[in-house]
Amino acid sequence: ILKDRGHSIDVTAERSFVASAYRNATPVRVNDTTQDPNWLPNPLLPDTRAELAVPLVTRGQVIGVLDIQDEVVGRFTEVDEDTMLTLAGQVATSVDTARLFEEQQESEQRFRTISDFTYAWETWLSEEGQLLYVSPSCERISGYSSDEFLNDTTLMDAVVHPEDKAIYNDHW
């Protein structure tokens, strides 16, 4: 909700529990914000009296902070902190996994774009020698589509020139 309202905290801010949790990669639990000189009041949450800021850490890097605030002084316990640390670890792992998946998808799309527009005929084989991938350029060269090669295991052998069969078989 706060992000939707344009609220953010600079991680270099001197007075901020969130920034401190981010910079130090450790939780910050304050049970009376009005008594702490590092409290950075949020005009969107004027009644905050307790705050728990927990870093989101994945692969040794802080990627964000899970921040919980309450209107009750003394609201957060050590158990709350431990629970939020566990939750923060799960959130960080999920965010990291989503990020890695997105990067993998982008990488695959770049590869496919290159593969689709090259005139080199690319094939990928499984360890058992089964065709896993045939680049679209095979159609420009042979007249047969990638799907035809993948669906007909004899087609690849059929398009090889008889004089090239030995070289083809050795390579395969």
Side-chain angles (χ1 to χ4, degrees):
I1 296 171
L2 295 177
K3 186 176 179 183
D4 292 341
R5 293 182 180 177
H7 182 73
S8 65
I9 296 174
D10 183 348
V11 296
T12 63
E14 288 183 36
R15 289 182 47 230
S16 166
F17 302 143
V18 170
S20 179
Y22 185 92
R23 283 193 310 269
N24 299 315
T26 57
V28 175
R29 177 171 34 115
V30 178
N31 273 313
D32 190 349
T33 56
T34 61
Q35 300 301 309
D36 194 306
N38 290 317
W39 182 45
L40 180 62
N42 181 343
L44 299 173
L45 297 170
D47 297 325
T48 296
R49 294 300 172 263
E51 187 168 351
L52 176 59
V54 181
L56 301 173
V57 181
T58 181
R59 294 189 283 153
Q61 181 179 2
V62 179
I63 61 169
V65 175
L66 178 61
D67 186 55
I68 303 110
Q69 299 180 20
D70 201 290
E71 298 171 356
V72 177
V73 172
R75 166 62 180 88
F76 300 113
T77 66
E78 190 174 329
V79 171
D80 294 324
E81 185 175 319
D82 290 342
T83 302
M84 289 303 116
L85 274 168
T86 300
L87 179 61
Q90 292 172 347
V91 169
T93 299
S94 296
V95 168
D96 190 47
T97 299
R99 209 181 271 171
L100 289 172
F101 180 75
E102 187 175 297
E103 288 173 10
Q104 185 271 333
Q105 293 291 93
E106 290 170 3
S107 177
E108 182 177 334
Q109 183 58 43
R110 283 191 300 274
F111 164 76
R112 290 209 180 273
T113 299
I114 291 168
S115 177
D116 289 353
F117 292 100
T118 185
Y119 281 91
W121 184 339
E122 290 283 326
T123 56
W124 292 358
L125 303 175
S126 70
E127 290 181 19
E128 297 79 31
Q130 297 295 95
L131 275 174
L132 299 174
Y133 173 79
V134 179
S135 64
S137 60
C138 70
E139 192 164 2
R140 289 189 290 270
I141 296 167
S142 72
Y144 295 102
S145 72
S146 300
D147 286 340
E148 288 175 288
F149 280 103
L150 292 170
N151 293 324
D152 183 351
T153 58
T154 65
L155 188 55
M156 187 69 79
D157 192 55
V159 298
V160 175
H161 191 276
E163 293 176 11
D164 296 327
K165 291 268 187 194
I167 293 171
Y168 167 77
N169 288 333
D170 286 345
H171 179 72
W172 195 266

